Amino acid sequence: MSAFSGKAVLVTGAGAGIGYALCQAFASAGATVALNDIDPALCHTSAQQINGTLGAERVRPYACDVADVEAVRSMCQRFVDSAGRLDIAVANAGITNYGEFLTTTPEAFDRLTSVNLRGSFSVTGIQAYLNLGSYGISKAGIRMMAKIIALEVAKYGITANAISPGATLTERTLQDDPEYERNWASVTPTGRVGYVEDIVAAALYLASPEARQVTGQTLVVDGGWTLQSPLPPGHPDLPGYSSQLR
């Protein structure tokens, strides 16, 4: 029997990409999953797609904005009332604001931190990155948040960790840069970009009984990129950049 059979899992920002893959993986392992996304239509469609693939109603849609604390509380309570429990929460939702830190408006910064810190999953929180200052600050905050939460909830038998993905191929990154896979593979020590399956594997480990003694940590899944942090072809700080990095 899977370690997640009978468990209740909530994943935010899961309408597509990494979050969607996480919902699919947990549901495939026997868990009841709450799939959250800010887009109600995408939220429901994604849940239906996974259920259709599995041939079982294991994924339930919960649309809300994770920056809205009361909406999140309501979502969690409704899921607990429905599933009878909540064992695992993956705060995957996040947004990116591309641009110089000194030109970032207070409104844009507040929105970024309200989603990424209130709501939270990147190596820009470890490695400083030009034009991603505000985003990097919000992600670095997640590393400390994981430590603080881990300290406070340990007495309840709960662990808290963060995952810091490197360049990961998703629908969004490929849309932003059609050459994303090749460009980032060329500057990653392992010779390839990350795939959603790499992040899913890390999350499944941290949520499993095997990681019961791991808490307050940030697991970097970047193929070694932060060891040297070279810029890929097409980066905005190199000549000829045309696509927006998000």
Side-chain angles (χ1 to χ4, degrees):
M1 179 181 293
S2 166
F4 303 110
S5 181
K7 301 294 186 181
V9 182
L10 186 152
V11 184
T12 66
I18 294 172
Y20 180 92
L22 284 165
C23 289
Q24 195 168 39
F26 279 115
S28 297
T32 298
V33 180
L35 186 156
N36 158 265
D37 199 89
I38 193 172
D39 182 334
L42 179 61
C43 187
H44 283 77
T45 299
S46 297
Q48 290 174 352
Q49 287 176 341
I50 297 174
N51 287 333
T53 300
L54 296 177
E57 297 293 317
R58 292 182 184 162
V59 181
R60 305 169 187 180
Y62 290 84
C64 79
D65 182 352
V66 296
D68 184 335
V69 175
E70 289 307 315
V72 171
R73 285 176 176 161
S74 174
M75 172 181 65
C76 291
Q77 188 59 61
R78 285 185 290 124
F79 182 51
V80 169
D81 290 343
S82 174
R85 58 193 294 164
L86 175 58
D87 301 285
I88 300 162
V90 182
N92 172 72
I95 58 174
T96 308
N97 183 16
Y98 184 78
E100 294 182 0
F101 179 71
L102 295 179
T103 62
T104 301
T105 65
E107 295 78 15
F109 187 76
D110 287 346
R111 175 61 180 167
L112 193 72
T113 53
S114 68
V115 174
N116 292 357
L117 277 175
R118 274 194 216 152
S120 311
F121 228 6
S122 104
V123 293
T124 54
I126 295 174
Q127 175 64 36
Y129 216 125
L130 285 174
N131 295 313
L132 284 174
S134 299
Y135 181 69
I137 289 169
S138 72
K139 291 301 185 179
I142 293 172
R143 298 180 66 202
M144 182 54 67
M145 185 168 67
K147 294 176 182 289
I148 293 170
I149 291 175
L151 277 175
E152 294 195 1
V153 303
K155 60 187 176 183
Y156 303 113
I158 299 172
T159 60
N161 295 286
I163 295 176
S164 186
T168 305
L169 189 67
T170 65
E171 299 97 321
R172 187 182 73 171
T173 56
L174 193 58
Q175 180 180 4
D176 291 342
D177 179 8
E179 298 298 321
Y180 185 90
E181 184 171 15
R182 185 183 68 174
N183 287 341
W184 281 96
S186 71
V187 294
T188 301
T190 57
R192 70 173 182 88
V193 297
Y195 299 98
V196 292
E197 294 81 7
D198 298 313
I199 312 305
V200 167
L204 291 178
Y205 165 67
L206 290 175
S208 73
E210 286 74 16
R212 60 186 177 275
Q213 196 66 3
V214 180
T215 194
Q217 304 304 309
T218 295
L219 180 55
V220 180
V221 186
D222 71 345
W225 183 80
T226 47
L227 299 175
Q228 51 186 352
S229 307
L231 300 179
H235 186 272
D237 295 314
L238 295 175
Y241 178 80
S242 60
S243 96
Q244 183 184 32
L245 177 65
R246 291 192 232 162

